[in-house]
Amino acid sequence: MSVIARFRDADAAFARAANLDLCDPLRHFELVVPERAGTCKTLLNAILAIAARHLSWTSDFDPLASNRYHDECLRYLTPMLNHASTLSDENLFAATIILRMLEEMEGSTTGQDYHGHLLGIHAFVNIGDQYMIPGSLSAASFWVGLRQEIYIAVVTQQPVKVNLDHFVVDRSFEPADDYTWSNRAIVHLADVLNFCFGEDPPSSGHWDALNEASEKWSLSRPTSFNPFFFRERVAPSAFPEVWHGSSCHVGDQFTERTDQGALMDLLKKTEADHARPTKAIQQQLMKAWGWIPDHDGSDG
């Protein structure tokens, strides 16, 4: 099979396995990254690595193919991270984001997530604003990297280590498109995590400011975040029918047992069908809901 044919197959698998463009109206990872991979072998190998892993988990595809593509990608990428010129290459930034996603996927099966590619993401983010142009692939990669970092911060109860002092980071409440409002919420979540797990002693004044910002976001956000259709659930469905205009509008909490069970089934199906890691989330939810004991070691 030719490289082009393999790339087409990988692109389809990658589109199913990844959902990196939730808050990106330009859908860089769906539309731009596959095109860039045609001229950037490192980016192509990153896509092929995650696509091969996805296919090996959902079909009888060669389980070792992903390792070969991953190793070939790192053979070029790793030594280049020491050069400032490399860190301005947004194609390599996107490749690092994809490798981090692959690392998350594999961590769900091995039980070990070494966060190795997070260091690469930090290197690209910390180089400065001059390469982080709004609407660019670099900016899109920054937002995905921040969400990946937030996930790790929640799981490990550590502060967010990505530099948030960037031109693309907006904490204002000025009128803007829905994607900007969603990214503002993501930044606010990072600020809250840094308050909870950071090195500085928490203060009531800081907490009040964060709480005020949260309330102001809720009051100021566009009405487009409200669902445009709602219908109460009808048995045997566990969920009500809620329609939103965009994926960047959605967020829910589940308190009823039937809803919780349906969510667990959805997470299991997501992992089985799309090779997205959900076991850690399942464990956290079951502990939070009281389904299983939460052994934190406090009893001795």
Side-chain angles (χ1 to χ4, degrees), residues 34-42 44 91:
E35 181 180 346
R36 296 281 186 88
T39 57
C40 179
K41 189 173 182 180
T42 302
L44 174 60
N91 293 333

Side-chain angles (χ1 to χ4, degrees), residues 127-230:
I127 193 172
D129 279 332
Q130 64 268 34
Y131 305 111
M132 204 78 66
I133 302 172
S136 66
L137 178 56
S138 287
S141 298
F142 167 81
W143 288 112
V144 178
L146 176 56
R147 295 199 300 270
Q148 291 173 329
E149 179 74 24
I150 285 174
Y151 171 77
I152 294 301
V154 171
V155 171
T156 62
Q157 297 190 356
Q158 295 181 355
V160 173
K161 298 176 182 177
V162 166
N163 180 14
L164 297 177
D165 295 325
H166 276 286
F167 177 73
V168 295
V169 172
D170 179 5
R171 292 182 175 87
S172 74
F173 302 98
E174 298 298 320
D177 61 77
D178 291 358
Y179 296 94
T180 298
W181 279 97
S182 296
N183 284 329
R184 288 170 177 171
I186 291 170
V187 171
H188 182 67
L189 175 56
D191 289 338
V192 172
L193 290 170
N194 287 340
F195 170 84
C196 294
F197 305 128
E199 296 180 357
D200 296 332
S203 67
S204 59
H206 189 185
W207 173 253
D208 290 341
L210 289 171
N211 187 53
E212 181 181 353
S214 178
E215 293 178 350
K216 192 168 183 179
W217 185 94
S218 297
L219 293 173
S220 305
R221 64 172 175 76
T223 57
S224 52
F225 276 78
N226 299 329
F228 61 83
F229 178 83
F230 177 86

Side-chain angles (χ1 to χ4, degrees), residues 46-66:
I47 293 176
L48 291 172
I50 197 171
R53 179 63 68 229
H54 168 77
L55 291 173
S56 70
W57 286 357
T58 57
S59 69
D60 59 355
F61 194 77
D62 181 2
L64 298 180
S66 177

Side-chain angles (χ1 to χ4, degrees), residues 239 261-271 278:
F239 303 118
L263 178 58
M264 293 299 295
D265 291 341
L266 179 62
L267 290 172
K268 293 174 183 177
K269 182 174 177 58
T270 297
E271 181 156 329
T278 67

